[in-house]
Amino acid sequence: MPNGRVFDGFFVGSPLSFSDAVLNLAERELGYLNFTRIAAVGDLFDIEAEERTSVRIILVDETMVGDLEHLIVKLRAEFPNTHFALAYRNASSACKIVESTHKTPDLRHVGFLPMQIEVDRWVSVLRLLVCGERYVPSELLSPEQSPHALSPGPRPNSHSETADAEATAQDAHLTDRELQVLRSVAEGKQNKIIADELKLSQHTVKLHLHHVIAKLGVNNRTEAAVWFLGNKDKIERR
């Protein structure tokens, strides 16, 4: 983050939902964030006003989905620089947020953090959320997906579906450089950081990302990152 500044993040829930190990992992992987666990959504309003500007992300446990729905408008007003996400294990809890966006537009700014996915994917999704990307797993949006599917990308249920997913990854015809850029985007890195790491100009990074989005047939970098996370294992076996 800019100037080495340290920001704050909050996990809202019990130690059963967010263990010390989860907090330690988040802090280790995102060194510019100090994470704290608090018990209830309402406790967020006890944070001093001058301290709220440094809060980068608030992750609410699925058991408090009702409180998040009820208080999201007030939360966004009180924490204007903060990104919000629902951490869930049961997809039906997350679907409540998706289904309520038509009556509470502020819920469209709430992302999702699946808690039962592989650690590397979990960290990648967390990075995306911290950077302000609204991550929504595809199974929460597609009615034909099982409500119990929890991986960030499509999870094949048959041999034919597996073959289709592999063909999709191959047919995208992404170059090695485009895959490098896409992998970095999925890790939540901004264009400037990607450019520095790959020794490219920011303009070239944007151009590669534009080609990736076009080849994948997605609408933006978030959807491209979701595609990568869902196909990561197949891509890395190529």
Side-chain angles (χ1 to χ4, degrees):
M1 302 307 292
N3 301 322
R5 182 181 176 187
V6 175
F7 293 87
D8 295 311
F10 287 90
F11 285 96
V12 185
S14 72
L16 292 177
S17 299
F18 304 119
S19 65
D20 290 344
V22 167
L23 270 68
N24 291 337
L25 172 63
E27 286 195 346
R28 185 171 67 249
E29 296 294 332
L30 290 85
Y32 50 86
L33 279 169
N34 290 326
F35 281 96
T36 303
R37 181 178 58 237
I38 60 175
V41 175
D43 293 342
L44 291 166
F45 299 112
D46 294 334
I47 299 172
E48 296 294 334
E50 61 270 17
E51 296 177 0
R52 294 176 186 175
T53 58
S54 68
V55 179
R56 176 67 53 162
I57 189 165
I58 293 172
L59 301 120
V60 179
D61 182 58
E62 64 184 356
T63 59
M64 301 175 190
V65 64
D67 293 335
L68 182 60
E69 286 185 71
H70 179 65
L71 294 171
I72 186 60
V73 175
K74 184 177 180 182
L75 284 168
R76 292 194 67 228
E78 297 290 335
F79 294 85
N81 301 322
T82 303
H83 310 302
F84 296 88
L86 181 76
Y88 72 93
R89 293 173 175 82
N90 186 338
S92 62
S93 299
C95 285
K96 291 179 181 178
I97 295 290
V98 175
E99 293 165 359
S100 297
T101 54
H102 68 283
K103 64 179 179 180
T104 308
D106 281 69
L107 289 173
R108 294 172 184 161
H109 298 276
V110 175
F112 299 89
L113 179 63
M115 295 297 290
Q116 292 183 323
I117 57 178
E118 296 89 341
V119 171
D120 60 336
R121 292 187 179 183
W122 185 88
V123 170
S124 294
V125 173
L126 180 59
R127 285 198 181 106
L128 285 172
L129 294 168
V130 169
C131 290
E133 303 286 354
R134 186 186 183 233
Y135 178 78
V136 183
S138 58
E139 66 269 12
L140 301 184
L141 300 174
S142 176
E144 56 269 17
Q145 291 272 353
S146 165
H148 303 294
L150 290 173
S151 75
R155 178 171 293 179
N157 296 313
S158 68
H159 174 75
S160 62
E161 288 177 344
T162 301
D164 288 345
E166 290 175 345
T168 298
Q170 293 173 355
D171 292 345
H173 297 301
L174 298 180
T175 67
D176 290 343
R177 182 65 84 185
E178 287 166 351
L179 275 174
Q180 285 180 316
V181 170
L182 179 56
R183 182 178 288 104
S184 296
V185 168
E187 291 172 353
K189 296 175 181 176
Q190 297 300 302
N191 287 350
K192 184 178 185 306
I193 295 175
I194 297 172
D196 290 343
E197 291 183 348
L198 299 181
K199 295 180 172 54
L200 301 171
S201 69
Q202 290 189 57
H203 173 76
T204 301
V205 170
K206 290 179 182 178
L207 188 60
H208 282 310
L209 189 53
H210 173 77
H211 290 161
V212 167
I213 290 171
K215 288 181 178 182
L216 297 182
V218 297
N219 296 312
N220 51 49
R221 64 189 289 138
T222 302
E223 291 183 10
V226 170
W227 182 92
F228 178 83
L229 292 172
N231 292 280
K232 182 178 179 182
D233 292 341
K234 303 178 190 68
I235 292 170
E236 293 183 346
R237 287 202 300 267
R238 289 170 60 186

